[in-house]
Amino acid sequence: MRTYCKLLLLLIIYLLPIYCFAKEDNKIIIDNKIEIDKSVHDFGDVKLSDGVLSCSFNVKNISKEVLIIYNVVTSCGCTNVSWDKAPIRSGKSGKINVSFKNDQGPYPFDKDITVYFSTAKKPVILRIRGVVHEKMKSLEELYPIHFGKLGFKKYIIKGNNLSQGEQSSDIIRVANISNKPIFLSFENISEGLKLSLDKNPIPQHSTANISYTITANREMWGKNIYSFVPLINKKRISYKVANDNISSINILAYTKENFINWTKEQKDNAALPIFKESTINLGKIGNENTKAVFQLSNRGKSALKIYKIDCDSDAISNLKIKDIPAMSNSSLEIYIDGNKIEKGEFSYNLLLTTNSPSRPLITLFIFGEKS
């Protein structure tokens, strides 16, 4: 439970609005009209002396309409872009060329590239990333999380966030730090998670990419942890963190409702949650159970659904609420177990995932002091 709560806390930190894509044969599909060969280009580990890093994204028009790349905007001046300005006719392709200056010293980088297409319902976010080093390190140093002789950079992975009806895809680069090929397989793969390898077995002293795809599921809302257990030559090997033996790789992702195809009429008649307060101060509490009550109303024209309430602590319970009819009042009662809180000041976040297009995510706060 302690490890799970740590993962949920990290997911709150990682919660950012990221565009997600459908995936088909390692390509991404936007609105069934645009096909891009990838959403992320990972340069991997590079040296500062390598100079400018360049890559391209191939864009194919898979609709019957003419496709125009209106504009491409980078997240900082360290990244330059150029793209095909001519209209892309049905079945034809164009390119978005990206270069990263790589002149600001050794550090990890992860840069967004926002693309505006004529036939896309919203901008598309592409990414370039990598890690720049002054001098190249050994594979053991570059991939410090060792499951036996298989190295990972992290065992908790920040995944892209999802809207219902979408998929999110990315890669996890791993390293064989042994003197022999490693055959990699997986077990205990979470529902909604698919994995594949670009090479298997992985040659000695080399890297491989684990491609993963998460598919949104209406049974899984809010913060979720998708995990898998790597098997090295069909054997399970764990990684020790403090007093815990970690046997799985965990991908953190958030799933919310998808409103992109809602009409103006649907949005005008949607639920509208209003909380009387978003913060409750419990003051001083002891080891007893303490109740916190948030008063809310639904001022919309249809029932309010709170699909899920997530919290970053197992001291909080009763994280459920019934549907709230239109134009009615209700309350959210939360119980705090003082036995599970360390002495001193505390502060907890509650994250609500709703069916309201104006307020799909709502954050509430509880704080106080354990005596």
Side-chain angles (χ1 to χ4, degrees), residues 18 36 40 60 116 176 233 268-269 273 320 322 324 332 343 354-355 370:
I18 299 175
I36 307 179
V40 179
K60 184 176 181 181
Y116 296 85
N176 177 359
N233 298 325
D268 289 343
N269 289 287
K320 295 180 180 180
K322 295 181 179 179
I324 303 172
L332 172 60
K343 288 186 177 181
T354 83
N355 69 333
K370 169 69 178 297

Side-chain angles (χ1 to χ4, degrees), residues 7-212:
L7 295 177
L8 289 182
L9 177 58
L10 283 169
L11 187 50
I12 284 181
I13 297 171
Y14 286 149
L15 183 58
L16 295 172
I18 299 175
Y19 192 93
C20 301
F21 311 93
K23 180 175 182 288
E24 182 180 281
D25 298 329
N26 296 320
K27 297 181 176 65
I28 56 173
I29 311 296
I30 294 94
D31 298 337
N32 291 318
K33 294 180 178 180
I34 306 165
E35 179 184 276
I36 307 179
D37 60 345
K38 57 198 168 188
S39 63
V40 179
H41 184 91
D42 192 336
F43 289 101
D45 295 284
V46 299
K47 300 191 298 293
L48 187 60
S49 60
D50 290 339
V52 175
L53 306 174
S54 299
C55 67
S56 62
F57 294 84
N58 188 67
V59 179
K60 184 176 181 181
N61 183 2
I62 57 173
S63 73
K64 295 181 180 179
E65 307 171 55
V66 172
L67 172 65
I68 300 173
I69 304 174
Y70 281 146
N71 197 14
V72 183
V73 180
T74 63
S75 58
C76 77
C78 61
T79 308
N80 295 319
V81 292
S82 63
W83 65 94
D84 292 334
K85 306 295 195 300
I88 304 171
R89 301 196 177 277
S90 179
K92 301 299 182 181
S93 298
K95 285 188 179 295
I96 300 171
N97 301 306
V98 183
S99 62
F100 176 69
K101 291 181 180 179
N102 187 25
D103 62 355
Q104 298 180 14
Y107 64 99
F109 65 92
D110 193 336
K111 306 298 180 182
D112 288 347
I113 299 143
T114 305
V115 187
Y116 296 85
F117 291 105
S118 60
T119 57
K121 295 178 180 178
K122 60 181 178 179
V124 175
I125 307 298
L126 306 176
R127 292 162 56 204
I128 61 169
R129 70 185 181 203
V131 182
V132 182
H133 304 274
E134 187 73 47
K135 295 180 180 179
M136 191 56 70
K137 300 177 181 179
S138 67
L139 282 181
E140 288 86 348
E141 294 173 306
L142 292 172
Y143 297 84
I145 310 299
H146 297 163
F147 287 76
K149 294 297 183 179
L150 182 69
F152 288 81
K153 290 198 170 183
K154 300 175 181 178
Y155 69 93
I156 301 174
I157 310 296
K158 173 191 172 183
N160 294 334
N161 298 320
L162 291 158
S163 292
Q164 291 293 352
E166 294 180 338
Q167 293 180 324
S168 172
S169 302
D170 209 333
I171 62 170
I172 303 169
R173 186 165 288 170
V174 297
N176 177 359
I177 58 177
S178 74
N179 294 319
K180 298 178 180 179
I182 281 179
F183 180 81
L184 178 59
S185 56
F186 312 104
E187 69 176 8
N188 296 352
I189 302 172
S190 294
E191 181 181 356
L193 176 66
K194 290 186 178 180
L195 305 169
S196 64
L197 272 166
D198 64 346
K199 62 181 76 170
N200 204 20
I202 305 170
Q204 63 189 50
H205 294 298
S206 67
T207 61
N209 291 328
I210 301 173
S211 296
Y212 71 83

